[in-house]
Amino acid sequence: LKKCGGILVQAQGQQYNVGAGLNLTSNDSELGAIYDQLVFDKKKMALDVTQFILDHRYTDISLLRADWEQRCAHLKHKVSI
């Protein structure tokens, strides 16, 4: 398995903007991608991603926090970049 995306977080004062970055295609053998071909139906992809988000989004912030804390591998560890 190869990483094909990541979570992006930007702090602005007391607010955080969160998004997801996805590698749709890649010519680089070191990177993962969602599609294995360079040409794909962009409209269908956008609809598929939108539907996935709508079907899997959190409506309860406490459940989101609990899942995040359970799955967060770097929680309470020093992280350096």
Side-chain angles (χ1 to χ4, degrees):
L1 293 174
K2 294 182 181 180
K3 180 180 174 183
C4 63
I7 304 292
L8 311 169
V9 180
Q10 178 183 13
Q12 293 182 332
Q14 295 295 321
Q15 241 180 339
Y16 293 88
N17 297 315
V18 180
L22 301 174
N23 299 344
L24 300 179
T25 63
S26 176
N27 286 331
D28 188 333
S29 63
E30 297 296 315
L31 299 175
I34 294 174
Y35 295 99
D36 56 1
Q37 69 270 6
L38 293 178
V39 178
F40 57 92
D41 185 341
K42 293 178 184 177
K43 185 174 182 178
K44 181 180 179 336
M45 181 277 310
L47 291 172
D48 289 347
V49 169
T50 300
Q51 191 62 54
F52 181 87
I53 291 168
L54 291 174
D55 290 345
H56 296 87
R57 69 187 305 173
Y58 285 91
T59 56
D60 182 340
I61 192 71
S62 63
L63 292 176
L64 171 63
R65 183 182 305 259
D67 279 354
W68 173 263
E69 290 175 354
Q70 179 183 2
R71 297 174 180 166
C72 185
H74 65 278
L75 190 63
K76 299 181 182 175
H77 294 284
K78 183 177 178 181
V79 176
S80 59
I81 299 174

